[in-house]
Amino acid sequence: MASVRRRRERDARSRWHPAAGLRSVLSGRSVAGQVFVLHLMIVLLLVVAAVVALVLQVRRDSTQEARNRSLAVAETFANAPGIIEALDSPDPTAVLQPRAEAARTRADVDFLVVMNTDGIRYTHPRPDRIGKRFVGTTGPALAGEPVIEEIEGTIGRLVQAVVPVEDGDGTVVGLVSAGITTEHVGGAAENQLPLVLSAAAAALALATGGAALVSRRLLRQTHGLGPHEMTRMYEHHDAVLHAVREGVIIIDGDGTLMLANDEAHRLLALPEDAEGRHVLHIGLDPGTADLLSSGRVATDEVHLVGDRLLAVNQRPTDRAGGPPGSVATVRDSTELRALSGRAEAARERLNMLYDAGVGIGTSLDVTRTAEELTELAVPRFADFVTVDLFESVLAGGHPDAAATLRRTASAGIRDDAPLYPADEQIRFVDSSPQGRSLLGGRPVLEPRLSEAPGWRAQDLERSAQVVEYGIHSLITVPLRAGALMLGVVSFWRSEKPEPFDTEELALAEELVARAAVSIDNARRYTREHSMAVTLQRSLLPRSLPEQSALEIAYRYLPAQAGVGGDWFDVLPLSGARVALVVGDVVGHGLHAAATMGRLRTAVHNFSSLDLPPDELLGLLDELVGRIDQDETQEEHSAPVTGATCLYAVYDPVSRHCAVARAGHPPPALVRPDGRVEFPDVPAGPPLGLGGLPFETAELDLPEGSRLVLYTDGLVEDRRHDIDVGLELLREALSRAGDSPEETCRTVLEARRPVRAADDIALIVARTRALTADRIAEWPVPSDPAAVAEVRAAVTRKLAEWGLDELTFTTELILSELVTNAIRYGGAPIQVRMLRDRNLICEVYDSSSTSPHLRYATMTDEGGRGLFLVAQLADRWGTRYLPAGKVIWAEQPLPGDTHKTPEGKS
């Protein structure tokens, strides 16, 4: 052994190793090393100085070029034809903005701004900056001289030029500024920087190579290291070899063991005189001896030596020109294998818990959340998993410990297990593991079901079938959310012969705890969703009122995420008119539904005033503003944001429709010939903003026209904007049938998304006209004697309509109303009778004075007219017109004579 070491020392002294030579050069202890380091530093400094100088020169040239270009572009645009005329035009921005942007793009500058002499911009690349003051120096330009400066502008650090725009007599009438940002200016330098750095790197590499050649020649002449350094290196090598906790074996080309460190002796149980002997004759097991003697390459090849598992790595030593032979390392992997198995199991459990946090609770559905738990646990943790929840939990209520459970979810590696099926009601006995979990609130482990009498007591026949099937171990974990017991989860094992252990019990408890949070969230959401649905259904109209002016069909579809704030209504008005209203409150849930109910009630109340649509929306806007003001004072109240409304009034006598909208999508109109159009109804602001008036659009609707009102959920989608949605709605309406029901069905089949993100409310109203034979009108002179003529005309008309039973009350009502109009109103005066579902009497006069109902005393000579009208009529009231008012009264028709205009009752 000593002779071998001496031979290795002589070889080390006679050979210079490149790695050792490189370390000597870098250390600087030799002349070669100092020459190399000094040469390298000088070259490096020269290269850095050259790169810095070149970059500074390029940036200086780029900045100067930017100043020249910005000045040239500004002067060119300022002297362009038509600039002075554009500045004098009513809207300079409309003329100059496109021209400036086109010129800016062609000239490759960052902005081109035209402004007036006060510095107010007419053009800018960012439209929101138009109309604001220019940032920069304009004084010299106002004096007729261009100015170039570098400033911090609205789009960053930039170089800009400002030049005057002069008319024919030299007067400055405007200013033009062009500029380039610093980032743009520096672009040329950055573009050339890679080339500069590449050239510098090449120069540095050439210099380093030359220095290395010189240093290598010096090292070969001095052999690099002296005897003292070599001795110290050998001592360190020997100490490390024998101290390392891994066996090292060196074998020569003949299979003789040349070196074995202390750890190799211990692991392989080598004899003291093993070195110098052939590896086949030192008492190794045959497999290990054959490997070491063969010299073949091996990587972590495991061999059993005694009671140890040894991992052997072997490589030949002659690959880089060394002596023939091989070197092998030996590592004890017995404990490592055991630790690796436990680490793998722990990692799998951590992965399962992570997947539980991500994969359980993806929806707010109780049943689906329970199914996600079973899908995660099978087959990674258990062969079968069942989830049993109390009935009230599925409905969103609080669990009742005395109630039955329902098997909400069940999953397994096979479908033929004799467990209770899904959706079956179950009541666990107290002795069963599930019953004990529910009573004690703790998980229960039954490692061997065949030896658990309490579990068999649940169902003797089914329990026997389960054991016979091969299910042999069970873990039950209660589903708890705080103090609430939601149900129980059961994990069943059949494939693995080992029963569940306490570590798996802890994992099951953690899985169920995470699932319980998601199930409780889904339960709470189900409860709130049910409350919101109940509230919304109570607020939306359950049936439409009877009226003859419109044939109506409607649809309401809630959003996938829950109920929202879309609503609609049909309101009969005086004079056989009908109001249609549709609205939308942004959001979902109880707040949106409650707000919708408040707005619908307000529209009901305001419609009774017979106001024009624009005035009604104005009152509704003020109401929403007051609601917002009141609720913002409360900490937890949310204001009404994003409420819209459309209100339309149709008159079947004139076939006239008045429409106004507050931030709502426009109505669609299908003409009798099938043409579809979107009438131009001015779009007012959403409700609650205040300060802006609403406008009413007047539409003439031929009989048989279909008016389509809807909310934005029908035409807006994340995939496209509202213009595309309106065009798709137009196509659907053009294909729809004539009836409102067919129209609703066709539109929803074409436009309803699979998972609606917003509510959809849709009303289709086909217009009807009150025919001339159901209308009677008479002008009335401003003479009390004319009342008798009106009464006679009314009597004849009622006899013609077959309404003789109403003659007395109608004459009395019209007599009082006409007398009041003659006495207190103004000319002209007109009487109109309409035979609709009711008999409607109307008296028009040009006065806007409103009559008041009062109770006359026994001694009063008058004041009983309107009192009599109120007693004789079903309803009466006043409707104001742009030039006057109408006092109306309605009486029910006797018998079955109240026919619709189409003859249907």
Side-chain angles (χ1 to χ4, degrees), residues 710-757:
Y710 52 90
T711 54
D712 57 0
L714 186 67
V715 294
E716 287 187 351
D717 197 344
R718 294 179 180 177
R719 297 171 298 176
H720 50 69
D721 57 20
I722 190 173
D723 293 333
V724 177
L726 291 176
E727 188 59 34
L728 294 175
L729 176 60
R730 182 197 303 272
E731 296 176 2
L733 290 173
S734 64
R735 301 191 307 267
D738 293 335
S739 70
E741 281 292 338
E742 293 179 358
T743 303
C744 285
R745 183 172 58 255
T746 302
V747 168
L748 290 182
E749 288 176 354
R751 294 293 304 126
R752 182 183 184 182
V754 178
R755 295 179 61 88

Side-chain angles (χ1 to χ4, degrees), residues 583-605:
D584 184 8
V585 176
V586 174
H588 299 282
L590 286 174
H591 178 72
T595 303
M596 174 269 290
R598 298 165 76 176
L599 296 183
R600 179 171 177 251
T601 301
V603 172
H604 264 271
N605 294 333

Side-chain angles (χ1 to χ4, degrees), residues 567 582-584 644-646 661-667 683-686 709-712:
W567 56 283
V582 63
D584 184 8
T644 65
C645 184
L646 185 147
R661 60 189 178 115
H664 203 81
L709 309 183
Y710 52 90
T711 54
D712 57 0

Side-chain angles (χ1 to χ4, degrees), residues 317-615:
T317 58
D318 56 357
R319 287 185 175 181
S326 62
V327 59
T329 61
V330 182
R331 184 177 66 255
D332 188 356
S333 63
T334 306
E335 297 178 357
L336 183 61
R337 289 296 179 94
L339 292 175
S340 176
R342 290 196 293 269
E344 183 66 25
R347 182 165 55 251
E348 172 60 24
R349 292 174 183 178
L350 288 176
N351 289 338
M352 190 181 303
L353 291 177
Y354 172 78
D355 294 341
V358 175
I360 299 178
T362 59
S363 67
L364 292 174
D365 182 80
V366 175
T367 301
R368 180 56 194 152
T369 304
E371 291 173 349
E372 289 171 345
L373 172 60
T374 62
E375 293 169 0
L376 173 74
V378 175
R380 297 171 64 179
F381 178 69
D383 299 320
F384 300 92
V385 178
T386 57
V387 179
D388 306 309
L389 301 178
F390 289 105
E391 293 275 6
S392 55
V393 173
L394 297 174
H398 284 272
D400 182 5
T404 59
L405 294 98
R406 182 176 295 277
R407 179 136 296 176
T408 308
S410 177
I413 57 176
R414 292 184 297 273
D415 298 331
D416 57 347
L419 301 172
Y420 288 118
D423 204 40
E424 181 166 334
Q425 288 185 336
I426 308 171
R427 187 182 292 274
F428 291 107
V429 297
D430 293 343
S431 63
S432 66
Q434 292 86 351
R436 284 184 284 158
S437 292
L438 292 172
L439 290 175
R442 303 291 299 172
V444 174
L445 169 62
E446 288 289 356
R448 295 174 179 82
L449 285 177
S450 60
E451 303 174 4
W455 171 72
R456 288 178 174 272
Q458 174 67 34
D459 188 334
L460 293 177
E461 181 179 358
R462 187 180 294 273
S463 300
Q465 294 173 354
V466 170
V467 173
E468 184 180 356
Y469 185 79
I471 298 176
H472 60 84
S473 190
L474 168 66
I475 292 176
T476 62
V477 184
L479 263 167
R480 299 186 58 177
L484 296 180
M485 186 70 68
L486 307 177
V488 64
V489 181
S490 303
F491 300 91
W492 313 79
R493 173 171 286 178
S494 64
E495 292 295 312
K496 288 182 64 176
E498 300 85 5
F500 285 117
D501 56 25
T502 54
E503 291 186 1
E504 291 170 320
L505 178 66
L507 175 60
E509 190 173 8
E510 181 67 23
L511 281 175
V512 174
R514 299 195 178 198
V517 175
S518 299
I519 291 177
D520 187 53
N521 289 339
R523 178 189 67 85
R524 294 171 182 269
Y525 171 78
T526 301
R527 181 183 60 188
E528 293 185 4
H529 179 72
S530 300
M531 294 171 58
V533 168
T534 302
L535 174 62
Q536 187 182 44
R537 287 177 178 173
S538 66
L539 295 176
L540 288 173
R542 300 183 180 181
S543 61
L544 298 182
E546 294 184 356
Q547 46 82 32
S548 304
L550 298 169
E551 179 187 354
I552 296 177
Y554 65 92
R555 297 287 190 277
Y556 174 79
L557 302 176
Q560 185 70 25
V563 296
D566 290 13
W567 56 283
F568 62 92
D569 219 333
V570 178
L571 307 171
L573 303 178
S574 63
R577 298 171 305 127
V578 177
L580 300 175
V581 59
V582 63
D584 184 8
V585 176
V586 174
H588 299 282
L590 286 174
H591 178 72
T595 303
M596 174 269 290
R598 298 165 76 176
L599 296 183
R600 179 171 177 251
T601 301
V603 172
H604 264 271
N605 294 333
F606 292 151
S607 66
S608 63
L609 301 177
D610 264 331
L611 297 173
D614 56 338
E615 295 184 20

Side-chain angles (χ1 to χ4, degrees), residues 4-25:
V4 173
R5 293 182 180 176
R6 285 194 295 272
R7 185 170 65 253
R8 293 179 62 217
E9 291 177 2
R10 287 196 300 271
D11 292 340
R13 290 191 183 98
S14 62
R15 268 199 319 268
W16 173 80
H17 198 277
L22 180 59
R23 287 195 298 269
S24 178
V25 170

Side-chain angles (χ1 to χ4, degrees), residues 176-189:
V176 176
S177 176
I180 305 176
T181 60
T182 304
E183 294 180 358
H184 200 163
V185 171

